[in-house]
Amino acid sequence: MTDAQGHGRTGVANDGAGSTTRKLLGVALSVAALWAAPAAAQVPTPEAVLGFRPGADSMLASWAQITDYLGRLAAASPRVRLDTVGPTTQGRPYLLATISDPANLARRAALMEAQARLADPRTLDSAAEARLVATQPAVILISCSIHSTEIAASQMALELAHRLATDSALGAALRHVVVLLVPSANPDGIDIVGDWYRRTRGTPYDGTSPPWLYHAYVGHDNNRDWYMLTQVETRHLTRVLYRQWFPEVVYDIHQMGGGGARLFLPPFADPVNPNLDGMLVEAINHVGTAMATALADAGRGGVAHQAQFDLWWHGGNRSAPVRHNMIGILSEAASTRIASPVQLRPDQVRQSARGVNFPLPWAGGWWRLRDIVEYELIASEALVRLAANERAEFVRRFVRAGRNAIEAGRTGSPRAYLIPPGQRDEGARTQLANVLLATGVEVSRARARFTADGRAYPAGTFVIALDQPFRTHVKDLFERQAYPERREYPGGPLLRPYDVTGWTLPLTMGVAVDSVRTPVSADLERLDTAVLAPGSISGRGDVVLLANRSNAEGTAAWRALAAGGTVTFAPEPFEAGGSRWPTGTLVVRGARAVLARAAAELGFDAVAVARAPAAAEAPVVRRVPRVALYRSWNASMDEGWTRWVLERLGVPFTSVADSAVRAGGLRQRFDVVILPGENPAQIRSGRAPGFAPPEYTGGLGEPGAQALRDFLTEGGTVIALDEASLFAIGDLAAPATVVVGGRAPGVRGASQFSAPGSIFEVSVDRSHPVASGMDSVAAIYFVSSPVLDAAPGGRAIASYRREGSPLLSGFVYGADTLSGRAALVEAPVGRGRAILFAFSPQHRGQTNGTFKLLTNAILYGAAQAARSVPGR
Ligand SMILES: [Zn+2]
């Protein structure tokens, strides 16, 4: 049932950290060796190894030091085992410390197997259940510092591990509890933030955040990835959670702003997602208040409940577990300036009035990293004691939640989801099945054709029956969300959700999924992994026609260009190879062998012909487009996601900073410049002076805007994503009218329109090359995005309907604002053009259904650019 075998026990630090870290580590290790030598048989304290107490002012343990300390602890303590789950994005070890009574560690494999049975009550008869309720320890997972500027927990983890290893009362509790301690869910970030902190410590920039993302691709959005699993760190912990250990409790430790409450703990705020088991919501409240009581007992005030963090959203490290019948909680401590202390006068503390959700206001004063460490230690130890004292209840509740889910799937609606083959993007269909499988969901494949709800389905259809333990996870990903309209008071302003309001994966991924009301009877095989069927090229000739339905075909076109082929968008429909091909068909010449390999590997079919109807005026892409991706010092997550998506699609690009844009001469170097989603003020001004050394402050400014205007005038293409389209309109003179967004006079404000993370339907003008391969309607991701109208001379490529609401999932207020407006616009500027995306085509790497609009826009820009530069 589990695949934990093969995890090596880690030795002493070796983490692939940068050279600065290595130098610091060298010092730390030699000091530690001296200190540790006389007491080798003793369990070392963090202070003895690090040379400072965790949480000491201005001091941060690097990942190498964290790895080193936990390795020494595991070597010295029979209660601690340390595993490397796998490498991080930058090659550091992703660590998992398993801490329990030595007798429990000795039967670790049996405990894991029993947890898997508890997670799936279908495997338990009443005798087996009674035996496990009587004997199985509770399993709790504590995850630290997924957000790396929220760094206290990664330091606290060392002291928690030491206390669990050495304290006698905690040792007694560990007979009944297994603690899975993840010292950081983003190890790379501990060094990215720690290196920046050490570099700026004692300078005017002491305590600032680094001017780049603290995860190579996704920064803070690493905690928005727990169902899509795009990043390796997410996949590592997901495997531990839903394939190996199945803990009853997942505790995710965060920090928030520094001016208010000292620590947020559950109960969470409304609304509660309708799919959540109310019993688990009560258990979340129970754990949160137990932690808060322990803090109050220890004389620690300033704990707040029911603020800001709601139970609606899916996608966080505390929200995906609840959809797996686990108690998912977080805490959010008030931040210091990284490791530097802050002082707040009583009048500077912005906290709620005293009440049931805030019974012990904080008096103000100094607030140090050590304070956060102590709050988090008290909360963590309270959880260990609670799980020990109520072990049987935790175990029994986990089984009961699984039974509830199975019963709801057996009696409720729908009974199953079906994902038939033959989709526009088979790669997306396969990926959807695989992200479910990775989160422990059961997915089967039909061996033969069958009928369900009166409809015929072919062999190869994926079947997800909902009478399974992790039903809530699937249902919440597959159904359409209906976020309630909530206001501060009747008639008052709208309350914003904690994160987005809708996330329906079949819509964002562009995969057709049917829900069925009756049980499915078919010849099924359970899948471990969904495998993409290889595709091929039929027909004779060297001209290959790509319908461009899948993202894989776009990737294949890039490979063809790299191999010396050419690509054209068919400017009108044509007949070839016995079928009719629509406008926008990709006509690829001179790369058949490359395309044949791509078809086999990426799973698409294509047709080759000897010659396609020539369209003399159709622009041709003759080499790999030269793409610049703008990267500001604001550490833009949208930039990181864009980079991640382009890399996955095989689109080469060059990242350009402000200075490279301001230097001008862009047209000589690039065909296309992409501006990721940032608002105009951020793009213009960048990072404010005083928040980083001068080389990392400032934005494009007027020189950068002028350079981009010159680029457009000379035939270049600017692709502006989401709010960056307002910059293109306001600063680059791209002609379009702003209906919602920015601060221009006449635009609609928040009192008239709101859609903070929703999926909308648009109609697509398929006669435009940017819409190549799209259907006539598309689901787009809208996150408080702009709403536009094409101006004279411009063209709307995607538009909202004129009648009724375009909402597919999530929330919209003032839907009439969208009526007939444009979501995607080509706006000509000089000999060039801006492609204005008034939505997020690559949102958090989840919107496979609209990735193509981005890659088409790049190809289109390159094709047009070829016209405007002689000799290309
Ligand atoms: Zn956080």
Side-chain angles (χ1 to χ4, degrees):
M1 300 294 289
T2 60
D3 60 350
Q5 283 70 32
H7 286 181
R9 202 162 160 142
T10 43
V12 179
N14 173 21
D15 75 335
S19 57
T20 317
T21 311
R22 276 194 203 290
K23 281 183 210 134
L24 289 167
L25 171 64
V27 174
L29 278 181
S30 54
V31 170
L34 286 172
W35 289 29
Q42 298 291 311
V43 176
T45 64
E47 193 169 354
V49 173
L50 300 174
F52 59 89
R53 192 181 189 201
D57 281 359
S58 307
M59 299 305 289
L60 290 174
S62 68
W63 193 248
Q65 289 174 300
I66 290 169
T67 307
D68 173 40
Y69 175 71
L70 292 174
R72 289 165 186 257
L73 186 67
S77 168
R79 292 186 197 158
V80 181
R81 174 192 164 104
L82 185 65
D83 290 281
T84 297
V85 178
T88 65
T89 302
Q90 294 181 342
R92 292 180 181 81
Y94 189 109
L95 300 179
L96 174 69
T98 307
I99 308 177
S100 192
D101 185 81
N104 287 332
L105 291 186
R107 56 179 183 131
R108 173 174 156 277
L111 293 181
M112 292 168 79
E113 196 185 324
Q115 285 301 118
R117 296 185 69 194
L118 294 171
D120 184 355
R122 294 168 300 182
T123 64
L124 292 173
D125 58 25
S126 55
E129 181 180 346
R131 196 179 69 249
L132 288 176
V133 167
T135 60
Q136 180 76 355
V139 180
I140 63 179
L141 185 138
I142 300 176
S143 174
C144 301
S145 298
I146 186 172
H147 292 150
S148 313
T149 49
E150 304 164 15
I151 205 160
S154 66
Q155 314 294 301
M156 183 281 295
L158 306 184
E159 192 158 329
L160 176 62
H162 178 258
R163 283 189 45 76
L164 291 170
T166 55
D167 182 83
S168 57
L170 287 169
L174 288 174
R175 286 204 291 273
H176 309 291
V177 181
V178 175
V179 177
L180 304 172
L181 178 62
V182 178
S184 173
N186 179 23
D188 295 342
I190 298 304
D191 285 343
I192 293 170
V193 169
D195 288 347
W196 176 257
Y197 180 76
R198 284 181 282 269
R199 176 176 162 184
T200 54
R201 184 169 49 192
T203 74
Y205 318 108
D206 185 306
T208 57
S209 297
W212 36 77
L213 295 167
Y214 56 62
H215 176 280
Y217 292 107
V218 301
H220 197 85
D221 271 359
N222 61 358
N223 200 29
R224 304 292 181 270
D225 192 37
W226 291 96
Y227 51 78
M228 199 64 178
L229 316 181
T230 63
Q231 304 301 310
V232 294
E233 293 81 8
T234 324
R235 291 199 290 276
H236 289 333
L237 190 51
T238 292
R239 195 165 62 248
V240 171
L241 286 168
Y242 311 127
R243 306 276 271 192
Q244 294 175 350
W245 263 113
F246 307 93
E248 281 96 1
V249 185
V250 176
Y251 172 30
D252 198 32
I253 308 183
H254 291 255
Q255 290 168 226
M256 57 185 177
R262 297 299 89 190
L263 189 74
F264 169 85
L265 281 170
F268 290 104
D270 284 326
V272 176
N273 185 298
N275 286 317
L276 301 190
D277 186 329
M279 178 182 69
L280 291 175
V281 177
E282 291 286 20
I284 288 168
N285 298 346
H286 175 57
V287 173
T289 51
M291 289 173 163
T293 305
L295 282 156
D297 289 345
R300 309 294 169 128
V303 174
H305 307 285
Q306 284 198 292
Q308 183 181 353
F309 308 99
D310 67 32
L311 274 175
W312 179 261
W313 170 61
H314 200 145
N317 194 15
R318 53 129 175 144
S319 40
V322 189
R323 289 151 173 88
H324 290 79
N325 307 322
M326 300 166 185
I327 296 167
I329 60 164
L330 60 63
S331 66
E332 297 266 358
S335 290
T336 49
R337 294 182 303 109
I338 312 293
S340 298
V342 293
Q343 189 179 24
L344 284 96
R345 292 191 312 271
D347 62 295
Q348 290 174 312
V349 184
R350 301 181 310 278
Q351 54 192 358
S352 313
R354 185 166 183 262
V356 288
N357 288 317
F358 195 57
L360 288 167
W362 183 61
W366 281 102
W367 184 251
R368 300 173 182 280
L369 192 66
R370 181 67 203 176
D371 290 314
I372 306 175
V373 164
E374 289 180 7
Y375 272 62
E376 291 171 349
L377 265 178
I378 292 166
S380 298
E381 291 183 16
L383 173 58
V384 174
R385 286 197 305 275
L386 179 73
N389 293 341
E390 302 183 6
R391 184 201 57 76
E393 287 82 355
F394 275 80
V395 173
R396 206 180 285 124
R397 191 184 295 123
F398 188 39
V399 174
R400 176 129 171 251
R403 288 227 165 88
N404 290 348
I406 293 164
E407 185 59 18
R410 196 172 282 142
T411 57
S413 185
R415 293 293 175 87
Y417 292 109
L418 306 180
I419 318 179
Q423 305 244 352
R424 68 193 314 276
D425 192 336
E426 280 290 298
R429 181 178 91 105
T430 307
Q431 187 187 348
L432 180 54
N434 280 327
V435 295
L436 294 177
L437 287 162
T439 53
V441 171
E442 294 168 7
V443 180
S444 298
R445 181 181 175 281
R447 288 198 189 90
R449 67 188 302 277
F450 65 99
T451 305
D453 275 5
R455 284 183 64 178
Y457 289 89
T461 297
F462 297 143
V463 178
I464 304 154
L466 286 182
D467 55 348
Q468 60 170 301
F470 301 157
R471 166 186 182 265
T472 306
H473 181 69
V474 188
K475 182 164 179 282
D476 202 48
L477 290 177
F478 276 33
E479 71 182 14
R480 298 183 182 201
Q481 283 72 44
Y483 185 81
E485 184 175 320
R486 302 173 68 249
R487 294 183 177 276
E488 286 180 28
Y489 48 86
L494 285 166
L495 284 166
R496 289 185 66 85
Y498 172 69
D499 196 73
V500 298
T501 60
W503 46 78
T504 313
L505 272 189
L507 292 175
T508 57
M509 295 182 75
V511 176
V513 176
D514 290 342
S515 58
V516 293
R517 293 164 178 282
T518 49
V520 173
S521 171
D523 179 12
L524 300 176
E525 57 179 345
R526 276 279 295 278
L527 292 179
D528 283 326
T529 315
V531 180
L532 194 56
S536 63
I537 299 179
S538 58
R540 302 162 74 105
D542 193 41
V543 180
V544 178
L545 306 175
L546 297 175
N548 201 20
R549 304 281 290 159
S550 64
N551 289 318
E553 289 158 273
T555 299
W558 251 269
R559 291 188 190 176
L561 287 166
T566 67
V567 177
T568 314
F569 290 106
E572 54 196 30
F574 63 96
E575 304 269 348
S579 3
R580 188 163 174 78
W581 297 82
T583 302
T585 297
L586 293 179
V587 181
V588 185
R589 291 179 168 83
R592 175 167 178 157
V594 169
L595 290 174
R597 285 196 294 276
E601 178 197 333
L602 305 174
F604 64 87
D605 292 325
V607 174
V609 292
R611 49 190 297 274
E617 76 285 6
V620 180
V621 187
R622 297 190 185 279
R623 67 177 190 194
V624 178
R626 301 172 305 166
V627 179
L629 178 62
Y630 172 60
R631 187 171 191 170
S632 81
W633 299 122
N634 290 321
S636 156
M637 285 180 279
D638 204 60
E639 182 276 331
W641 281 117
T642 310
R643 197 156 28 87
W644 187 83
V645 167
L646 292 179
E647 284 183 15
R648 290 306 166 285
L649 294 174
V651 178
F653 60 89
T654 304
S655 288
V656 292
D658 298 304
S659 55
V661 178
R662 287 194 300 252
L666 294 171
R667 188 66 195 93
Q668 279 69 54
R669 289 186 287 147
F670 299 111
D671 305 310
V672 173
V673 174
I674 301 175
L675 301 176
E678 276 189 278
N679 73 43
Q682 288 172 320
I683 297 173
R684 237 175 259 138
S685 307
R687 207 171 153 89
F691 287 88
E695 62 265 36
Y696 304 121
T697 61
L700 287 182
E702 178 49 30
Q706 183 61 51
L708 286 169
R709 287 194 296 268
D710 292 344
F711 174 72
L712 287 162
T713 305
E714 295 163 17
T717 295
V718 169
I719 298 174
L721 304 182
D722 211 301
E723 285 189 291
S725 56
L726 299 172
F727 176 81
I729 294 166
D731 293 57
L732 307 182
T737 305
V738 179
V739 179
V740 170
R743 295 193 177 84
V747 303
R748 290 206 173 189
S751 64
Q752 294 153 301
F753 176 78
S754 174
S758 301
I759 304 169
F760 288 143
E761 184 179 87
V762 291
S763 55
V764 178
D765 176 359
R766 287 193 287 176
S767 67
H768 195 293
V770 169
S772 166
M774 296 294 289
D775 289 327
S776 59
V777 293
I780 61 166
Y781 208 88
F782 187 103
V783 206
S784 299
S785 303
V787 180
L788 305 177
D789 260 341
R795 182 170 167 188
I797 304 168
S799 308
Y800 296 101
R801 61 174 68 189
R802 295 198 175 278
E803 306 286 336
S805 171
L807 181 68
L808 295 174
S809 185
F811 175 79
V812 63
Y813 176 76
D816 60 305
T817 299
L818 298 168
S819 174
R821 306 296 188 181
L824 177 56
V825 171
E826 176 175 8
V829 186
R831 284 186 290 153
R833 70 220 50 77
I835 307 293
L836 307 173
F837 280 86
F839 62 97
S840 181
Q842 82 310 9
H843 178 74
R844 293 177 176 169
Q846 299 170 6
T847 52
N848 302 54
T850 53
F851 289 167
K852 180 168 296 303
L853 292 168
L854 177 57
T855 53
N856 285 345
I858 296 170
L859 275 181
Y860 174 67
Q864 297 297 319
R867 286 174 149 176
S868 67
V869 174
R872 288 205 66 207

